[in-house]
């Protein structure tokens, strides 16, 4: 086995993902380049990948989020931008994690809607979502109706 | 800031929500970053070497497959460090780091065993569920206190 | 340089077990290139649902969808490598079903493997070599007759064998236990040439196979240096005169066992096992020694015995031998002990290897152990079929090499 010497040590990489009618990944990239100050910014089909010192990356992201806060999402990435080990061109197919993001992108519009709405609504009026671990109890009324339907 | 384990650990949505509402998400990417920024022996793509499944023995016995133990070497320390957890229960299409059902069962069990605040959810399936989903997460994270 | 053979990897877990680099290295060594079939999330959902195997692990769902993409021709590949974690039941089911599905619905050669964190590229090399050979050398493997004068050498872990062939006939053979690889090789070649009445100068092409194939091949300047999976399949159907249609080849060797599903002389799926010596020819050798008979006498002895009379609860070569010793001490007959040893080896190969290939008749047993009548009988009982043991079956690797090497004769 050969020795491994890491690159980009001490930096962080984050995805900035855009799901918006107002702003495109390209718009966001232009804004990113303006304020990059040395951080590495790469445009992807979902949005941007930003690499640099953590404070730098966070500063840029905080700024970018302002463009459309409810439609811009951020996630850590293990690899620096363009790393050959994760590159689709080298692997032949997408890395498995890509499909996970693909899946969440189908849900994200609901999350964006949620982010918009919680600012407009009274928090105490929003019901808590069902706990998936608790079996829904059959209401007595419903049970009675079912029994009646069965008998008739 | 509270360290919040997110499940699935690869989730963009949860990672974003936790950071957005002022806490630190514990995710796969952070564990992988630690691996690929540490010098050692070359083992692409993830820099998980055959040593990692051995480290995983702390959480799973030797008869447990190597892939489970290798993954546990990433997640075990994170579960131990977690001060809270948000768990999406219907995350059936999270691949790669979350691609093994047996590992996922073990992670969830270890989280459930821990006496930390937990929030169990499903992915929202429409806009109204989206509102409830975001609201529940925000309330949970705010109640943890110490948000940045 | 010829373009690399594109091997589609369908897997769950290797990058987390720390062995993905080993898989890549083994493929590269035989000019293969591992890639991951590219599909979209909607394909995964649709193909996973339509395949109908309702597994829970998302990466296995992905594996199923990738297999379907290959079979449907949506992704091009030359060969398929299926790998999942050893000891994972869920993955083992998927691995077997996908192997069968691809084998039955496409022409792609498939090999499946269950890895641990200890799997190395060396372990995978022979399998990868066979995979790339089948993909790359279909024309060579289509050869059905030997022509000219060729030499085939099989440098195995236990024995070294040589065969000289001329105009589709075996005219000289040589056999001896492997000591020093080159010394043993030279000695058996000398014997085979003498028997054939041929000099080395008259040999028109040479093929080598077995563990020592690279070393001996280099020394002899061989035209063909080839792993034993493809060579033995070819040799088996050639000698058994079953070159067309399906066949199953079983080779219980000194160090590992091979089970190969063959179609028209070309391996489709195969397994190679070698973790436990209790399932190898070595165990039978030890049994023969313990019983004070020559290995050639073990088979006839076993045929006279009843294995069920001897308790054999261990698959380990050490504890298995211990069981035999205990049985003898407790008054079991040598015949029964010999039969029990044969049954034990056959049963292990049946349980560990033959489950990974689809057994289609004829079942052809080859290699030195195929001469042990008791072993062949035990295997036949387990598989409920009459096993074919062709003539010269102990020379299978040499015959396959000599046959394939004739494709390299210049005037051809």
């Amino acid at each position: 086995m050969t020795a491994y010497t890491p690159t980009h040590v001490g930096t962080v990489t984050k995805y900035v993902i855009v799901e918006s009618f107002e702003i495109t990944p390209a718009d966001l990239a232009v804004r990113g380049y303006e304020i990059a100050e040395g951080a590495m910014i790469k445009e992807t089909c979902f949005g941007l990948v930003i690499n640099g010192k953590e404070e730098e990356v966070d500063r840029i992201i905080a700024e970018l989020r302002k463009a459309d806060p409810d439609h811009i999402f951020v996630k850590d990435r293990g690899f620096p931008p363009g790393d050959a080990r994760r590159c689709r061109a080298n692997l032949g197919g997408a890395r498995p994690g890509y499909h996970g993001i693909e899946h969440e992108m189908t849900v994200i519009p609901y999350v964006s809607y949620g982010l918009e709405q919680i600012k407009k609504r009274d928090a105490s009026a929003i019901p808590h979502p069902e706990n998936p671990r608790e079996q829904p109890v059959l209401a007595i009324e419903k049970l009675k109706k079912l029994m009646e339907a069965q008998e008739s | 800031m509270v360290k919040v384990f997110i499940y699935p650990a690869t989730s963009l949505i949860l990672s974003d929500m936790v950071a957005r509402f002022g806490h630190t998400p514990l995710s796969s990417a952070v564990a992988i970053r630690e691996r690929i920024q540490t010098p050692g022996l070359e083992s692409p793509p993830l820099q998980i070497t055959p040593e990692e499944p051995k480290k995983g023995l702390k959480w799973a016995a030797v008869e447990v497959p190597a892939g489970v133990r290798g993954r546990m070497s990433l997640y075990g320390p994170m579960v131990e460090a977690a001060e809270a957890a948000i768990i999406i229960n219907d995350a059936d299409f999270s691949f790669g780091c979350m691609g093994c059902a047996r590992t996922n069962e073990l992670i969830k069990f270890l989280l459930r065993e821990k006496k930390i605040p937990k929030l169990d959810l499903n992915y929202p399936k429409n806009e109204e569920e989206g509102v409830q989903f975001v609201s529940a997460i925000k309330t949970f994270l705010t109640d943890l206190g110490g948000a940045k | 340089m010829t373009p690399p053979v594109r091997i589609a990897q369908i897997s769950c877990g290797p990058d987390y077990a720390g062995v993905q680099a080993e898989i890549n290295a083994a493929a590269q060594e035989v000019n293969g290139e591992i890639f991951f079939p590219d599909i979209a999330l909607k394909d995964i959902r649709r193909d996973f649902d339509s395949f109908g195997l309702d597994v829970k692990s998302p990466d296995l769902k992905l594996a199923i969808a990738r297999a379907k993409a290959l079979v449907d021709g949506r992704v091009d590949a030359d060969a398929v490598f299926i790998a999942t974690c050893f000891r994972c039941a869920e993955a083992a089911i998927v691995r077997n079903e996908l192997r069968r599905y691809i084998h039955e619905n496409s022409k792609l050669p498939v090999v499946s493997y269950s890895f641990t964190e200890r799997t190395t590229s060396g372990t995978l090399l022979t399998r990868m070599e066979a995979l790339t050979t089948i993909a790359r050398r279909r024309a060579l493997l289509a050869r059905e007759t030997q022509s000219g004068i060729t030499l085939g050498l099989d440098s195995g872990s236990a024995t070294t064998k040589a065969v000289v062939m001329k105009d589709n006939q075996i005219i000289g053979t040589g056999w001896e236990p492997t000591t020093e690889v080159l010394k043993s090789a030279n000695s058996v070649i000398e014997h085979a040439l003498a028997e054939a009445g041929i000099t080395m100068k008259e040999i028109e092409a040479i093929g080598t196979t077995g563990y020592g194939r690279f070393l001996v091949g280099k020394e002899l300047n061989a035209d063909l240096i080839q792993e034993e999976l493809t060579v033995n399949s070819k040799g088996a159907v050639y000698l058994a005169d079953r070159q067309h249609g399906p066949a199953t080849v079983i080779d219980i060797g000194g160090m590992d066992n091979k089970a190969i599903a063959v179609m028209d002389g070309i391996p489709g799926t195969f397994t190679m096992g070698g973790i436990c010596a209790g399932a190898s020819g070595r165990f039978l050798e030890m049994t023969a020694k313990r019983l004070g008979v020559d290995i050639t006498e073990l088979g006839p002895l076993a045929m006279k015995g009843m294995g069920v009379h001897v308790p054999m609860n261990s698959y380990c070569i050490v504890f298995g031998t211990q069981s035999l010793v205990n049985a003898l001490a407790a008054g079991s007959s040598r015949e029964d002990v010999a039969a029990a040893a044969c049954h034990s080896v056959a049963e292990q190969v049946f349980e560990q290897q033959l489950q990974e290939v689809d057994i289609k008749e004829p079942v052809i047993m080859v290699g030195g152990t195929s001469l042990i009548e008791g072993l062949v009988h035990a295997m036949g009982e387990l598989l409920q079929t009459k096993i074919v043991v062709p003539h010269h079956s102990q020379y299978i690797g040499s015959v396959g090499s000599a046959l394939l090497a004739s494709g390299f004769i210049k005037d051809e």
Side-chain angles (χ1 to χ4, degrees):
Chain A
M1 275 187 141
T2 43
Y4 172 69
T5 313
T7 60
H8 300 81
V9 177
T11 67
V12 300
T13 306
K14 293 191 183 188
Y15 285 111
V16 179
I17 290 168
V18 195
E19 167 61 36
S20 166
F21 295 117
E22 309 290 323
I23 187 165
T24 66
D27 299 335
L28 207 61
V30 170
R31 181 75 192 108
Y33 296 138
E34 284 169 10
I35 56 171
E37 290 178 23
M40 191 199 299
I41 298 183
K42 188 170 177 272
E43 201 181 326
T44 74
C45 51
F46 279 134
L48 309 180
V49 188
I50 306 179
N51 171 269
K53 292 276 172 212
E54 187 162 16
E55 328 64 89
E56 272 303 292
V57 174
D58 285 350
R59 177 187 63 81
I60 296 166
I61 286 173
E63 195 55 38
L64 292 178
R65 266 201 203 267
K66 288 180 191 162
D68 195 353
D70 299 334
H71 295 88
I72 291 176
F73 295 85
V74 178
K75 171 189 188 299
D76 276 292
R77 187 186 191 212
F79 289 85
D83 193 294
R85 289 168 288 192
R86 294 280 85 180
C87 175
R88 199 179 201 134
N90 290 355
L91 298 174
R95 66 204 160 71
Y98 181 87
H99 300 302
I101 295 186
E102 225 183 332
H103 170 59
E104 287 207 343
M105 289 309 279
T106 63
V107 177
I108 267 200
Y110 307 137
V111 178
S112 287
Y113 181 78
L115 284 167
E116 288 164 2
Q117 290 296 311
I118 57 164
K119 283 179 258 177
K120 297 177 190 164
R121 298 194 201 174
D122 173 11
S124 60
I126 302 172
H128 195 278
E130 246 174 46
N131 182 342
R133 301 197 70 225
E134 283 167 10
Q135 293 287 339
V137 179
L138 192 57
I140 292 289
E141 280 308 305
K142 199 173 175 192
L143 180 66
K144 203 174 157 202
K145 272 186 191 158
L146 280 171
M147 286 166 70
E148 283 164 5
Q150 195 72 24
E151 280 161 11
S152 61
Chain B
M1 285 169 87
V2 172
K3 290 181 186 138
V4 183
F5 191 99
I6 56 168
Y7 184 101
T10 46
S11 172
L12 160 70
I13 294 171
L14 290 185
S15 189
D16 179 275
M17 292 287 124
V18 172
R20 182 186 291 260
F21 296 120
H23 295 287
T24 310
L26 296 178
S27 68
S28 306
V30 173
I32 294 292
R33 179 184 299 150
E34 192 264 322
R35 288 301 323 132
I36 68 154
Q37 292 194 4
T38 305
L41 292 172
E42 195 148 345
S43 188
L46 303 176
Q47 275 309 114
I48 292 176
T49 70
E51 285 306 305
E52 265 64 41
K54 290 178 196 161
K55 289 181 193 152
L57 286 169
K58 185 173 175 194
W59 296 277
V62 73
E63 69 263 31
V64 177
V68 176
R69 286 182 281 117
R71 284 181 169 97
M72 285 315 295
S73 75
L74 300 178
Y75 293 122
M78 283 191 341
V79 171
E80 285 175 3
E83 297 164 309
I86 303 178
I87 302 167
I88 294 184
N89 282 260
D90 59 349
D92 303 330
F93 286 91
S94 304
F95 304 92
C97 291
M98 289 268 114
C100 166
R102 299 295 90 77
T103 312
N104 298 352
E105 285 157 8
L106 183 56
I107 294 170
K108 279 199 239 181
F109 174 72
L110 293 175
L111 287 171
R112 298 205 192 290
E113 266 199 321
K114 272 193 89 154
K115 304 248 176 301
I116 53 172
K118 276 160 263 187
L119 175 65
D120 275 283
L121 295 165
N122 274 342
Y123 278 117
K125 285 161 198 70
N126 54 49
E127 288 188 336
E128 265 326 292
E129 284 187 16
V131 177
Q132 294 175 17
F133 178 87
V134 175
S135 168
I137 291 174
K138 189 183 177 194
T139 308
F140 176 78
L141 291 169
T142 309
D143 290 351
L144 291 176
K148 188 171 78 174
Chain C
M1 204 173 149
T2 48
V5 171
R6 286 181 47 80
I7 304 169
Q9 180 175 319
I10 293 180
S11 60
C12 183
D15 25 8
Y16 298 91
V19 297
Q20 184 60 48
E22 301 294 323
I23 297 173
N24 294 345
Q28 266 167 22
E29 203 153 325
V30 291
N31 195 21
E33 179 183 73
I34 293 286
F35 78 99
F36 299 86
D38 196 14
I39 49 177
L41 181 68
K42 65 172 174 34
D43 302 325
I44 302 174
R45 289 181 190 281
R46 182 197 58 216
D47 294 340
F48 169 65
D49 284 343
S50 72
F51 194 75
L53 181 54
D54 190 15
V55 286
K56 292 287 170 284
S57 287
D59 277 10
L60 291 173
K61 297 178 185 180
L62 182 60
I64 290 171
R66 282 177 166 164
K68 286 211 79 166
L70 289 169
V71 165
D72 294 352
R74 281 177 276 132
V75 174
D76 277 332
D78 301 319
V80 188
F81 179 67
I82 307 178
T84 61
C85 290
F86 178 59
R87 291 197 179 111
C88 177
E90 186 186 35
I93 292 170
V94 174
R95 193 177 69 236
N96 275 329
E97 293 310 324
L98 290 186
R99 191 232 335 120
R100 182 175 300 147
Y101 170 71
I102 296 168
H103 181 55
E104 283 174 3
N105 295 287
S106 77
K107 283 206 172 301
L108 294 167
V110 189
V111 64
S112 62
Y113 190 76
S114 60
F115 53 81
T116 71
E117 66 268 39
R118 292 173 193 274
T119 297
T120 61
S121 61
T123 321
L124 299 169
L125 185 63
T126 301
R127 295 165 175 87
M128 286 291 183
E129 194 186 343
L131 209 52
T132 53
T133 302
I134 299 160
R136 189 182 282 135
R137 291 184 154 168
R138 275 196 182 265
L140 178 73
L141 295 177
R143 167 165 292 273
E144 291 180 3
T145 53
Q146 186 274 348
S147 55
I149 304 173
T150 59
L151 170 75
L153 187 107
D154 179 358
S155 175
S157 66
T159 56
T160 305
K161 289 84 59 180
V163 153
V164 176
M165 291 184 77
K166 185 182 176 186
D167 301 336
N168 217 24
Q169 297 291 325
I170 296 166
I171 58 168
T173 60
W175 180 100
E176 70 172 53
T178 305
T179 50
E180 286 172 49
V181 171
L182 288 176
K183 208 170 127 194
S184 301
N186 287 330
S187 168
V188 294
I189 291 171
E190 216 170 282
H191 194 277
L193 288 172
E195 197 177 286
I198 294 262
T199 64
M200 197 64 178
K201 277 189 187 154
E202 293 173 81
I203 300 289
E204 295 171 276
I206 299 174
T208 63
T209 189
Y211 280 88
R213 63 186 177 278
F214 294 111
L215 184 65
V216 181
K218 204 175 158 201
E219 179 74 12
L220 296 175
N221 197 18
D223 303 271
L224 175 78
I225 300 173
Q226 194 63 58
E227 40 59 49
E228 51 272 30
L229 284 159
T230 45
V231 170
N232 289 11
S233 309
K234 200 63 209 169
V237 295
Y238 169 76
L239 285 180
D241 197 18
R242 303 292 175 97
Q243 302 216 51
H244 300 280
T248 307
V249 177
I250 300 173
D251 180 1
I252 302 175
M255 222 159 95
D256 57 39
N257 308 315
K258 297 152 207 96
I260 312 161
V262 182
M263 176 53 81
D264 296 334
I266 298 175
T269 61
F270 50 87
T271 66
M272 222 177 126
I275 291 177
C276 186
S280 72
R282 281 263 192 260
F283 177 61
L284 296 175
E285 240 175 52
M286 286 178 71
T287 305
K289 203 176 273 178
R290 184 66 193 77
L291 293 173
V293 296
D294 188 74
I295 185 76
T296 55
E297 296 167 55
L298 186 72
L301 196 66
M303 292 302 285
K304 291 185 211 145
M306 291 287 280
V308 287
H309 293 160
V310 177
M312 281 278 299
N313 295 323
S314 177
Y315 278 170
C316 164
I317 193 163
V318 177
F319 295 133
T321 310
Q322 192 62 41
S323 298
L324 299 181
V325 172
N326 290 345
L328 285 171
S332 287
S333 72
R334 295 160 74 238
E335 288 81 0
D336 286 353
V337 167
C342 288
H343 180 79
S344 171
V345 170
E347 195 171 44
Q348 282 192 68
V349 174
F350 176 73
E351 286 177 5
Q352 291 168 19
Q353 242 108 54
L354 298 180
Q355 308 307 318
E356 300 242 343
V357 297
D358 292 318
I359 307 286
K360 296 223 166 95
E361 292 181 332
V363 178
I364 308 169
M365 264 180 88
V366 294
T369 53
S370 65
L371 299 183
I372 302 171
E373 213 180 334
L375 179 64
V376 177
H377 176 74
M379 191 58 89
E381 282 205 320
L382 281 168
L383 294 177
Q384 294 288 302
T385 184
K386 176 105 182 75
I387 306 254
V388 178
V389 179
H391 65 91
H392 291 91
S393 70
Q394 73 274 38
Y395 292 104
I396 201 73
S398 312
V399 173
S401 297
L403 167 69
L404 292 175
S406 64
F408 289 85
I409 295 175
K410 303 286 179 289
D411 299 339
E412 276 257 323

